[in-house]
Amino acid sequence: INYHDVTDRLEAEGRLRDSEQKYRQLDEQASDGIIIADPKGCFVLVNEKGRQMLGYSEKEIIGMPIRETYVEEERELSEKRLHEVEKEGSVRFERKMRRKDGTVFLAEINIKRLPDGHYQAIVRDVTERNRAESALRDSEEKFRLLAEESPNMIFINKRGKVVYANKRCE
């Protein structure tokens, strides 16, 4: 009878299971979409947040070409972006993405090529952030016009130093 000590193997398998469980928890609890695409540009893995953003089930999205999430006017940019990834290693950009229901949202995407030729992308819906930034710019522009065109003297004094003065004040 031959006996083999399998303690090391069983401990390694346990560590592997623990590692896989931690990876799954991190992946599924992420607040951003995490996407892996094959070299041909098809979805291989999309975490829960990514599927919610795009409106597809796991069964529907796996194997689907990523191009189906592009809005028409940005399809040509996709090749340019992949060339940038090849050259730079990773690229961050914003682009419009189309959901399954046809609605469009603005996404911030950070993409890099993995050693095995696949692509990894972190996708964040920045639609609301963009709206807030636009509203802030509009508000600042209205304030600037109001202050500049006012017949009254307007200035801002900070700790004894004038940091802004309109034309009338000057």
Side-chain angles (χ1 to χ4, degrees):
I1 297 179
N2 282 337
Y3 293 99
H4 298 285
D5 187 357
V6 294
T7 306
D8 291 341
R9 187 187 78 195
L10 292 175
E11 287 175 357
E13 288 173 357
R15 287 191 303 272
L16 180 60
R17 275 191 305 278
D18 290 347
S19 177
E20 287 173 349
Q21 181 181 7
K22 287 175 187 172
Y23 165 76
R24 274 194 301 278
Q25 286 174 341
L26 178 65
D27 180 57
E28 294 306 318
Q29 293 175 3
S31 58
D32 293 332
I34 301 171
I35 295 170
I36 304 291
D38 66 22
K40 293 178 183 177
C42 294
F43 290 105
V44 172
L45 180 142
V46 182
N47 73 338
E48 179 66 27
K49 184 64 176 183
R51 293 189 304 269
Q52 287 173 0
M53 259 191 271
L54 293 168
Y56 291 94
S57 70
E58 185 173 18
K59 186 177 180 180
E60 292 171 316
I61 202 165
I62 301 304
M64 183 177 96
I66 291 174
R67 290 179 58 86
E68 291 186 26
T69 67
Y70 296 173
V71 294
E72 192 63 40
E73 63 267 18
E74 293 192 12
R75 287 189 180 198
E76 289 182 23
L77 286 175
S78 65
E79 291 299 318
K80 180 183 174 194
R81 301 265 196 246
L82 289 180
H83 290 298
E84 289 178 39
V85 171
E86 297 300 323
K87 183 179 176 186
E88 304 295 327
S90 69
V91 176
R92 178 174 289 179
F93 57 93
E94 287 184 0
R95 82 167 174 87
K96 295 175 186 172
M97 294 186 79
R98 184 177 315 283
R99 293 183 176 97
K100 179 182 176 182
D101 67 7
T103 59
V104 175
F105 68 99
L106 185 63
E108 178 184 79
I109 301 170
N110 187 350
I111 185 171
K112 71 178 185 175
R113 187 158 187 169
L114 301 174
D116 66 0
H118 285 69
Y119 295 94
Q120 175 189 27
I122 306 299
V123 181
R124 177 174 291 160
D125 183 341
V126 294
T127 306
E128 288 305 315
R129 181 184 78 188
N130 224 40
R131 282 188 192 133
E133 289 171 353
S134 180
L136 179 60
R137 281 191 300 274
D138 289 348
S139 176
E140 289 172 342
E141 178 63 13
K142 287 175 187 172
F143 168 78
R144 187 190 65 74
L145 287 171
L146 177 68
E148 289 299 317
E149 301 302 324
S150 174
N152 300 315
M153 292 177 29
I154 299 174
F155 67 94
I156 299 173
N157 183 342
K158 250 188 179 171
R159 296 186 194 114
K161 183 176 181 178
V162 175
V163 294
Y164 170 81
N166 71 350
K167 291 177 194 171
R168 178 76 173 160
C169 194
E170 291 174 357

